[in-house]
């Protein structure tokens, strides 16, 4: 497993996120559970404590996106990748922080889409939660390899 944390913005990279965490996980329910826990823990360390709206929301987004990577994006022998960034908005007048969660898997042909499940359906509501909770969300194809990245962002007032 590979884990990287960048706690401060390098002077030579003005557009780099203030904080960044990325790690690969096994494409299993256990890997998804670990990813969710590490996202919550990292946010807590970065000043978004447990049981705050920001931590709870991003943890729920991470849970849904990683579960989808395991269930719908799994390719035998391939891991999924999680990247978490926290960045104060570049506009000095903007009084917000953007938290972004990205989950990359190796399944190109399964692009997520919002669905309207029947009331008695046992699945199919996850992306509806993502759309409801995230300020923005979407998918991006991987440039150098097969697969896709599903990402979600929330904007939250900075902690004072």
């Amino acid at each position: 497993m590979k884990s990287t944390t960048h706690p401060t913005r390098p002077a030579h990279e003005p557009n780099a996120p203030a904080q960044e965490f990325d790690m690969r996980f096994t494409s299993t329910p256990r890997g998804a559970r670990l990813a969710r826990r590490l996202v919550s823990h990292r946010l807590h360390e970065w000043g978004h404590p447990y049981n705050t709206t920001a931590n709870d929301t991003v943890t729920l987004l991470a849970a849904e996106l990683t579960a989808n990577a395991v269930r719908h994006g799994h390719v035998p022998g391939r891991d999924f990748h999680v990247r978490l960034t926290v960045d104060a908005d570049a506009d000095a007048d903007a009084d917000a922080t953007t938290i972004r969660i990205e989950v990359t898997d190796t399944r190109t042909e399964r692009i997520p889409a919002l669905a309207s499940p029947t009331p008695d359906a046992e699945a199919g509501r996850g992306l509806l939660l993502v759309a409801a909770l995230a300020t923005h969300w979407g998918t991006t194809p991987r440039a150098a390899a097969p697969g896709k990245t599903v990402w979600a962002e929330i904007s939250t007032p900075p902690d004072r």
Side-chain angles (χ1 to χ4, degrees), residues 130-151:
V130 170
L133 294 172
T135 306
H136 306 284
W137 78 277
T139 61
T140 307
R142 289 177 69 188
K148 67 194 169 295
T149 299
V150 183
W151 56 270

Side-chain angles (χ1 to χ4, degrees), residues 57-120:
T57 301
V58 176
T59 299
L60 181 58
L61 291 169
E64 183 56 40
L65 296 180
T66 59
N68 282 353
V70 169
R71 174 175 258 187
H72 304 294
H74 174 74
V75 173
R78 304 291 174 126
D79 297 337
F80 68 89
H81 180 261
V82 172
R83 181 172 182 255
L84 174 69
T85 58
V86 177
D87 194 17
D89 286 346
D91 183 355
D93 296 330
D95 202 20
T97 297
T98 299
I99 303 173
R100 181 179 175 108
I101 181 79
E102 300 175 2
V103 178
T104 302
D105 64 49
T106 54
R107 199 89 183 252
T108 303
E109 73 280 5
R110 296 187 118 187
I111 303 299
L114 290 176
S116 297
T118 61
D120 59 343

Side-chain angles (χ1 to χ4, degrees), residues 4-68:
T4 307
T5 300
H6 306 283
T8 58
R9 181 187 312 250
H12 65 280
E13 293 184 38
N15 293 328
Q19 287 125 346
E20 179 179 307
F21 166 78
D22 60 41
M23 188 169 184
R24 286 187 352 223
F25 297 89
T26 59
S27 191
T28 63
R30 185 176 185 181
R33 187 172 50 250
L34 178 60
R36 174 185 51 83
R37 292 187 69 177
L38 287 176
V39 163
S40 180
H41 179 71
R42 193 64 63 180
L43 287 170
H44 178 77
E45 287 181 345
W46 291 342
H48 299 278
Y50 300 120
N51 298 321
T52 60
T53 301
N55 193 304
D56 289 348
T57 301
V58 176
T59 299
L60 181 58
L61 291 169
E64 183 56 40
L65 296 180
T66 59
N68 282 353

